Amino acid sequence: MGNELSDRVGTGVPKHLTRKDWATKDAFWHGRVEGRDLGTELTILFFSTEKTGGGPPLRVHKYDEIFIIKAGRAKFTVGEDQFIAEKGDVVFGPANIPHKFENLGPGLLETTDLHLSDHFEQENLE
């Protein structure tokens, strides 16, 4: 059984990452895997918060982002639009359009965020 970045295909790209390779919190899905580390154009962020009102600041990326709501409910702002997304929903954040979300609570909000880039890059606007 492999660990960390030791399982690699012939190109030197890992084929298996363990949780300790990307997770920044033990109790929640929280952290990221950058596409360039896997030899792909997709970066994956895992976000979790139990704090009502918690979430990332208003921000913008040079690439598209797709949010998958795994648990909870969130109020999203994408450009001029505001809406509620909940478990099972998918939200699209187009490149260069400011966006944010916040946990409506009570309880856990958990998302998997797909950044269509080989690396994570954002400009915080708040």
Side-chain angles (χ1 to χ4, degrees), residues 33-67:
V33 176
E34 296 212 16
R36 63 182 163 205
D37 295 336
L38 294 173
T40 186
E41 295 293 318
L42 178 68
T43 292
I44 306 166
L45 272 68
F46 302 99
F47 178 85
S48 299
T49 184
E50 290 186 307
K51 179 182 174 189
T52 299
L58 186 67
R59 64 210 187 271
V60 67
H61 307 285
K62 295 178 183 178
Y63 47 78
D64 293 337
E65 181 176 10
I66 299 166
F67 305 89

mmCIF file of all heavy atoms in Angstrom, residues 33-67:
data_model
loop_
_atom_site.group_PDB
_atom_site.id
_atom_site.type_symbol
_atom_site.label_atom_id
_atom_site.label_comp_id
_atom_site.label_asym_id
_atom_site.label_seq_id
_atom_site.Cartn_x
_atom_site.Cartn_y
_atom_site.Cartn_z
ATOM 1 N N VAL A 33 -6.018 19.919 -3.453
ATOM 2 C CA VAL A 33 -5.105 19.175 -4.306
ATOM 3 C C VAL A 33 -4.945 19.998 -5.577
ATOM 4 O O VAL A 33 -5.935 20.246 -6.288
ATOM 5 C CB VAL A 33 -5.659 17.774 -4.662
ATOM 6 C CG1 VAL A 33 -4.732 17.069 -5.633
ATOM 7 C CG2 VAL A 33 -5.884 16.946 -3.411
ATOM 8 N N GLU A 34 -3.742 20.452 -5.856
ATOM 9 C CA GLU A 34 -3.505 21.249 -7.058
ATOM 10 C C GLU A 34 -3.270 20.335 -8.253
ATOM 11 O O GLU A 34 -2.542 19.349 -8.158
ATOM 12 C CB GLU A 34 -2.325 22.202 -6.853
ATOM 13 C CG GLU A 34 -2.639 23.217 -5.768
ATOM 14 C CD GLU A 34 -2.002 24.567 -5.979
ATOM 15 O OE1 GLU A 34 -1.539 24.866 -7.096
ATOM 16 O OE2 GLU A 34 -1.984 25.328 -5.003
ATOM 17 N N GLY A 35 -3.901 20.671 -9.356
ATOM 18 C CA GLY A 35 -3.816 19.865 -10.558
ATOM 19 C C GLY A 35 -2.399 19.637 -11.043
ATOM 20 O O GLY A 35 -2.070 18.555 -11.520
ATOM 21 N N ARG A 36 -1.551 20.638 -10.921
ATOM 22 C CA ARG A 36 -0.176 20.479 -11.410
ATOM 23 C C ARG A 36 0.567 19.371 -10.664
ATOM 24 O O ARG A 36 1.471 18.762 -11.209
ATOM 25 C CB ARG A 36 0.577 21.798 -11.352
ATOM 26 C CG ARG A 36 0.767 22.368 -9.967
ATOM 27 C CD ARG A 36 1.485 23.700 -10.029
ATOM 28 N NE ARG A 36 1.315 24.424 -8.781
ATOM 29 C CZ ARG A 36 1.396 25.721 -8.696
ATOM 30 N NH1 ARG A 36 1.638 26.454 -9.769
ATOM 31 N NH2 ARG A 36 1.241 26.316 -7.542
ATOM 32 N N ASP A 37 0.152 19.090 -9.421
ATOM 33 C CA ASP A 37 0.772 18.002 -8.670
ATOM 34 C C ASP A 37 0.336 16.636 -9.184
ATOM 35 O O ASP A 37 0.972 15.631 -8.889
ATOM 36 C CB ASP A 37 0.448 18.118 -7.185
ATOM 37 C CG ASP A 37 1.054 19.363 -6.553
ATOM 38 O OD1 ASP A 37 2.069 19.872 -7.095
ATOM 39 O OD2 ASP A 37 0.515 19.829 -5.540
ATOM 40 N N LEU A 38 -0.769 16.608 -9.920
ATOM 41 C CA LEU A 38 -1.283 15.361 -10.486
ATOM 42 C C LEU A 38 -1.126 15.307 -11.999
ATOM 43 O O LEU A 38 -1.557 14.354 -12.631
ATOM 44 C CB LEU A 38 -2.764 15.191 -10.125
ATOM 45 C CG LEU A 38 -3.080 14.984 -8.656
ATOM 46 C CD1 LEU A 38 -4.583 15.000 -8.425
ATOM 47 C CD2 LEU A 38 -2.473 13.702 -8.149
ATOM 48 N N GLY A 39 -0.565 16.360 -12.582
ATOM 49 C CA GLY A 39 -0.389 16.398 -14.025
ATOM 50 C C GLY A 39 -1.688 16.628 -14.770
ATOM 51 O O GLY A 39 -1.892 16.138 -15.877
ATOM 52 N N THR A 40 -2.599 17.430 -14.172
ATOM 53 C CA THR A 40 -3.892 17.700 -14.797
ATOM 54 C C THR A 40 -4.246 19.178 -14.662
ATOM 55 O O THR A 40 -3.604 19.915 -13.923
ATOM 56 C CB THR A 40 -5.002 16.816 -14.165
ATOM 57 O OG1 THR A 40 -6.217 16.999 -14.878
ATOM 58 C CG2 THR A 40 -5.225 17.163 -12.712
ATOM 59 N N GLU A 41 -5.270 19.593 -15.369
ATOM 60 C CA GLU A 41 -5.715 20.998 -15.376
ATOM 61 C C GLU A 41 -6.865 21.241 -14.403
ATOM 62 O O GLU A 41 -7.640 22.167 -14.596
ATOM 63 C CB GLU A 41 -6.159 21.393 -16.789
ATOM 64 C CG GLU A 41 -5.039 21.384 -17.810
ATOM 65 C CD GLU A 41 -4.001 22.464 -17.549
ATOM 66 O OE1 GLU A 41 -4.378 23.601 -17.212
ATOM 67 O OE2 GLU A 41 -2.803 22.161 -17.667
ATOM 68 N N LEU A 42 -6.986 20.433 -13.363
ATOM 69 C CA LEU A 42 -8.088 20.566 -12.410
ATOM 70 C C LEU A 42 -7.531 20.595 -10.991
ATOM 71 O O LEU A 42 -6.812 19.691 -10.574
ATOM 72 C CB LEU A 42 -9.058 19.383 -12.548
ATOM 73 C CG LEU A 42 -10.233 19.377 -11.580
ATOM 74 C CD1 LEU A 42 -11.191 20.524 -11.911
ATOM 75 C CD2 LEU A 42 -10.958 18.044 -11.643
ATOM 76 N N THR A 43 -7.866 21.655 -10.250
ATOM 77 C CA THR A 43 -7.503 21.774 -8.845
ATOM 78 C C THR A 43 -8.761 21.569 -8.020
ATOM 79 O O THR A 43 -9.824 22.100 -8.361
ATOM 80 C CB THR A 43 -6.865 23.148 -8.563
ATOM 81 O OG1 THR A 43 -5.596 23.193 -9.230
ATOM 82 C CG2 THR A 43 -6.659 23.397 -7.090
ATOM 83 N N ILE A 44 -8.661 20.805 -6.939
ATOM 84 C CA ILE A 44 -9.813 20.463 -6.106
ATOM 85 C C ILE A 44 -9.613 21.059 -4.723
ATOM 86 O O ILE A 44 -8.582 20.844 -4.090
ATOM 87 C CB ILE A 44 -9.973 18.940 -5.985
ATOM 88 C CG1 ILE A 44 -10.034 18.293 -7.363
ATOM 89 C CG2 ILE A 44 -11.221 18.602 -5.160
ATOM 90 C CD1 ILE A 44 -9.858 16.792 -7.341
ATOM 91 N N LEU A 45 -10.622 21.820 -4.267
ATOM 92 C CA LEU A 45 -10.618 22.346 -2.907
ATOM 93 C C LEU A 45 -11.741 21.677 -2.133
ATOM 94 O O LEU A 45 -12.848 21.496 -2.652
ATOM 95 C CB LEU A 45 -10.851 23.857 -2.889
ATOM 96 C CG LEU A 45 -9.615 24.734 -3.004
ATOM 97 C CD1 LEU A 45 -8.999 24.622 -4.372
ATOM 98 C CD2 LEU A 45 -9.943 26.146 -2.658
ATOM 99 N N PHE A 46 -11.456 21.331 -0.888
ATOM 100 C CA PHE A 46 -12.456 20.788 0.022
ATOM 101 C C PHE A 46 -12.676 21.843 1.097
ATOM 102 O O PHE A 46 -11.728 22.293 1.732
ATOM 103 C CB PHE A 46 -11.956 19.483 0.648
ATOM 104 C CG PHE A 46 -11.613 18.441 -0.370
ATOM 105 C CD1 PHE A 46 -10.301 18.246 -0.758
ATOM 106 C CD2 PHE A 46 -12.601 17.662 -0.947
ATOM 107 C CE1 PHE A 46 -9.969 17.279 -1.700
ATOM 108 C CE2 PHE A 46 -12.286 16.687 -1.888
ATOM 109 C CZ PHE A 46 -10.965 16.497 -2.261
ATOM 110 N N PHE A 47 -13.942 22.257 1.286
ATOM 111 C CA PHE A 47 -14.254 23.303 2.253
ATOM 112 C C PHE A 47 -15.313 22.798 3.220
ATOM 113 O O PHE A 47 -16.293 22.187 2.806
ATOM 114 C CB PHE A 47 -14.779 24.559 1.535
ATOM 115 C CG PHE A 47 -15.163 25.654 2.486
ATOM 116 C CD1 PHE A 47 -14.205 26.532 2.966
ATOM 117 C CD2 PHE A 47 -16.463 25.780 2.924
ATOM 118 C CE1 PHE A 47 -14.543 27.527 3.867
ATOM 119 C CE2 PHE A 47 -16.814 26.775 3.829
ATOM 120 C CZ PHE A 47 -15.857 27.653 4.298
ATOM 121 N N SER A 48 -15.120 23.078 4.505
ATOM 122 C CA SER A 48 -16.088 22.722 5.536
ATOM 123 C C SER A 48 -16.104 23.792 6.608
ATOM 124 O O SER A 48 -15.057 24.330 6.978
ATOM 125 C CB SER A 48 -15.722 21.394 6.205
ATOM 126 O OG SER A 48 -15.719 20.345 5.293
ATOM 127 N N THR A 49 -17.305 24.088 7.115
ATOM 128 C CA THR A 49 -17.433 24.957 8.279
ATOM 129 C C THR A 49 -18.739 24.635 8.987
ATOM 130 O O THR A 49 -19.743 24.342 8.338
ATOM 131 C CB THR A 49 -17.369 26.447 7.912
ATOM 132 O OG1 THR A 49 -17.417 27.223 9.126
ATOM 133 C CG2 THR A 49 -18.518 26.879 7.022
ATOM 134 N N GLU A 50 -18.709 24.696 10.299
ATOM 135 C CA GLU A 50 -19.926 24.558 11.093
ATOM 136 C C GLU A 50 -20.447 25.920 11.529
ATOM 137 O O GLU A 50 -21.546 26.024 12.050
ATOM 138 C CB GLU A 50 -19.661 23.683 12.318
ATOM 139 C CG GLU A 50 -19.445 22.229 11.954
ATOM 140 C CD GLU A 50 -19.318 21.339 13.166
ATOM 141 O OE1 GLU A 50 -18.479 21.650 14.047
ATOM 142 O OE2 GLU A 50 -20.052 20.340 13.222
ATOM 143 N N LYS A 51 -19.653 26.960 11.302
ATOM 144 C CA LYS A 51 -20.008 28.315 11.742
ATOM 145 C C LYS A 51 -21.075 28.906 10.827
ATOM 146 O O LYS A 51 -20.864 29.047 9.613
ATOM 147 C CB LYS A 51 -18.762 29.202 11.725
ATOM 148 C CG LYS A 51 -19.026 30.621 12.132
ATOM 149 C CD LYS A 51 -17.769 31.465 12.057
ATOM 150 C CE LYS A 51 -18.112 32.905 12.341
ATOM 151 N NZ LYS A 51 -16.980 33.788 12.086
ATOM 152 N N THR A 52 -22.217 29.243 11.398
ATOM 153 C CA THR A 52 -23.253 29.932 10.628
ATOM 154 C C THR A 52 -22.699 31.282 10.193
ATOM 155 O O THR A 52 -22.130 32.016 11.000
ATOM 156 C CB THR A 52 -24.537 30.105 11.469
ATOM 157 O OG1 THR A 52 -25.016 28.811 11.818
ATOM 158 C CG2 THR A 52 -25.605 30.850 10.699
ATOM 159 N N GLY A 53 -22.813 31.593 8.917
ATOM 160 C CA GLY A 53 -22.244 32.811 8.356
ATOM 161 C C GLY A 53 -20.821 32.623 7.867
ATOM 162 O O GLY A 53 -20.266 33.499 7.214
ATOM 163 N N GLY A 54 -20.218 31.480 8.168
ATOM 164 C CA GLY A 54 -18.844 31.207 7.752
ATOM 165 C C GLY A 54 -18.757 30.884 6.272
ATOM 166 O O GLY A 54 -19.673 30.304 5.699
ATOM 167 N N GLY A 55 -17.663 31.279 5.674
ATOM 168 C CA GLY A 55 -17.426 31.004 4.264
ATOM 169 C C GLY A 55 -16.303 31.873 3.751
ATOM 170 O O GLY A 55 -15.840 32.782 4.445
ATOM 171 N N PRO A 56 -15.857 31.609 2.538
ATOM 172 C CA PRO A 56 -14.780 32.410 1.964
ATOM 173 C C PRO A 56 -15.254 33.820 1.599
ATOM 174 O O PRO A 56 -16.443 34.048 1.388
ATOM 175 C CB PRO A 56 -14.367 31.628 0.721
ATOM 176 C CG PRO A 56 -15.463 30.674 0.451
ATOM 177 C CD PRO A 56 -16.271 30.513 1.691
ATOM 178 N N PRO A 57 -14.332 34.767 1.499
ATOM 179 C CA PRO A 57 -14.694 36.142 1.149
ATOM 180 C C PRO A 57 -15.076 36.272 -0.326
ATOM 181 O O PRO A 57 -14.818 35.365 -1.127
ATOM 182 C CB PRO A 57 -13.403 36.917 1.428
ATOM 183 C CG PRO A 57 -12.315 35.918 1.173
ATOM 184 C CD PRO A 57 -12.879 34.597 1.651
ATOM 185 N N LEU A 58 -15.666 37.412 -0.666
ATOM 186 C CA LEU A 58 -15.931 37.718 -2.074
ATOM 187 C C LEU A 58 -14.593 37.684 -2.809
ATOM 188 O O LEU A 58 -13.612 38.280 -2.363
ATOM 189 C CB LEU A 58 -16.573 39.097 -2.214
ATOM 190 C CG LEU A 58 -17.037 39.477 -3.615
ATOM 191 C CD1 LEU A 58 -18.213 38.591 -4.049
ATOM 192 C CD2 LEU A 58 -17.462 40.945 -3.656
ATOM 193 N N ARG A 59 -14.568 36.954 -3.921
ATOM 194 C CA ARG A 59 -13.308 36.741 -4.619
ATOM 195 C C ARG A 59 -13.565 36.525 -6.093
ATOM 196 O O ARG A 59 -14.705 36.356 -6.521
ATOM 197 C CB ARG A 59 -12.580 35.526 -4.036
ATOM 198 C CG ARG A 59 -13.357 34.233 -4.258
ATOM 199 C CD ARG A 59 -13.087 33.248 -3.159
ATOM 200 N NE ARG A 59 -13.666 31.960 -3.420
ATOM 201 C CZ ARG A 59 -14.888 31.600 -3.067
ATOM 202 N NH1 ARG A 59 -15.685 32.466 -2.483
ATOM 203 N NH2 ARG A 59 -15.320 30.388 -3.304
ATOM 204 N N VAL A 60 -12.477 36.470 -6.848
ATOM 205 C CA VAL A 60 -12.566 36.232 -8.292
ATOM 206 C C VAL A 60 -11.374 35.372 -8.696
ATOM 207 O O VAL A 60 -10.304 35.445 -8.092
ATOM 208 C CB VAL A 60 -12.621 37.572 -9.070
ATOM 209 C CG1 VAL A 60 -11.339 38.355 -8.959
ATOM 210 C CG2 VAL A 60 -13.008 37.356 -10.502
ATOM 211 N N HIS A 61 -11.601 34.519 -9.700
ATOM 212 C CA HIS A 61 -10.551 33.677 -10.268
ATOM 213 C C HIS A 61 -10.459 33.964 -11.766
ATOM 214 O O HIS A 61 -11.438 34.387 -12.378
ATOM 215 C CB HIS A 61 -10.870 32.186 -10.104
ATOM 216 C CG HIS A 61 -11.189 31.785 -8.706
ATOM 217 N ND1 HIS A 61 -10.226 31.648 -7.733
ATOM 218 C CD2 HIS A 61 -12.366 31.476 -8.115
ATOM 219 C CE1 HIS A 61 -10.804 31.280 -6.601
ATOM 220 N NE2 HIS A 61 -12.096 31.164 -6.810
ATOM 221 N N LYS A 62 -9.322 33.675 -12.365
ATOM 222 C CA LYS A 62 -9.136 33.843 -13.812
ATOM 223 C C LYS A 62 -9.677 32.646 -14.584
ATOM 224 O O LYS A 62 -9.555 32.595 -15.793
ATOM 225 C CB LYS A 62 -7.646 34.025 -14.127
ATOM 226 C CG LYS A 62 -7.071 35.293 -13.551
ATOM 227 C CD LYS A 62 -5.583 35.401 -13.850
ATOM 228 C CE LYS A 62 -5.012 36.645 -13.212
ATOM 229 N NZ LYS A 62 -3.571 36.770 -13.424
ATOM 230 N N TYR A 63 -10.254 31.694 -13.885
ATOM 231 C CA TYR A 63 -10.752 30.452 -14.477
ATOM 232 C C TYR A 63 -12.118 30.119 -13.877
ATOM 233 O O TYR A 63 -12.505 30.663 -12.845
ATOM 234 C CB TYR A 63 -9.766 29.308 -14.226
ATOM 235 C CG TYR A 63 -9.297 29.234 -12.783
ATOM 236 C CD1 TYR A 63 -10.103 28.678 -11.791
ATOM 237 C CD2 TYR A 63 -8.065 29.748 -12.405
ATOM 238 C CE1 TYR A 63 -9.693 28.627 -10.469
ATOM 239 C CE2 TYR A 63 -7.640 29.699 -11.091
ATOM 240 C CZ TYR A 63 -8.466 29.132 -10.123
ATOM 241 O OH TYR A 63 -8.063 29.095 -8.817
ATOM 242 N N ASP A 64 -12.859 29.235 -14.515
ATOM 243 C CA ASP A 64 -14.162 28.799 -14.024
ATOM 244 C C ASP A 64 -14.000 27.952 -12.762
ATOM 245 O O ASP A 64 -12.976 27.293 -12.560
ATOM 246 C CB ASP A 64 -14.887 27.948 -15.072
ATOM 247 C CG ASP A 64 -15.277 28.735 -16.318
ATOM 248 O OD1 ASP A 64 -15.395 29.977 -16.246
ATOM 249 O OD2 ASP A 64 -15.478 28.097 -17.365
ATOM 250 N N GLU A 65 -15.060 27.962 -11.933
ATOM 251 C CA GLU A 65 -15.095 27.151 -10.724
ATOM 252 C C GLU A 65 -16.474 26.508 -10.615
ATOM 253 O O GLU A 65 -17.486 27.140 -10.920
ATOM 254 C CB GLU A 65 -14.817 28.020 -9.493
ATOM 255 C CG GLU A 65 -14.801 27.257 -8.195
ATOM 256 C CD GLU A 65 -14.422 28.127 -7.001
ATOM 257 O OE1 GLU A 65 -14.350 29.368 -7.135
ATOM 258 O OE2 GLU A 65 -14.200 27.556 -5.930
ATOM 259 N N ILE A 66 -16.504 25.260 -10.183
ATOM 260 C CA ILE A 66 -17.758 24.537 -9.982
ATOM 261 C C ILE A 66 -17.799 24.087 -8.528
ATOM 262 O O ILE A 66 -16.839 23.507 -8.026
ATOM 263 C CB ILE A 66 -17.852 23.326 -10.930
ATOM 264 C CG1 ILE A 66 -17.819 23.811 -12.379
ATOM 265 C CG2 ILE A 66 -19.118 22.516 -10.647
ATOM 266 C CD1 ILE A 66 -17.581 22.713 -13.387
ATOM 267 N N PHE A 67 -18.915 24.357 -7.855
ATOM 268 C CA PHE A 67 -19.108 24.008 -6.451
ATOM 269 C C PHE A 67 -20.100 22.858 -6.366
ATOM 270 O O PHE A 67 -21.171 22.915 -6.966
ATOM 271 C CB PHE A 67 -19.694 25.186 -5.671
ATOM 272 C CG PHE A 67 -18.901 26.457 -5.785
ATOM 273 C CD1 PHE A 67 -19.152 27.363 -6.799
ATOM 274 C CD2 PHE A 67 -17.915 26.745 -4.853
ATOM 275 C CE1 PHE A 67 -18.432 28.538 -6.901
ATOM 276 C CE2 PHE A 67 -17.189 27.923 -4.946
ATOM 277 C CZ PHE A 67 -17.447 28.817 -5.974
#
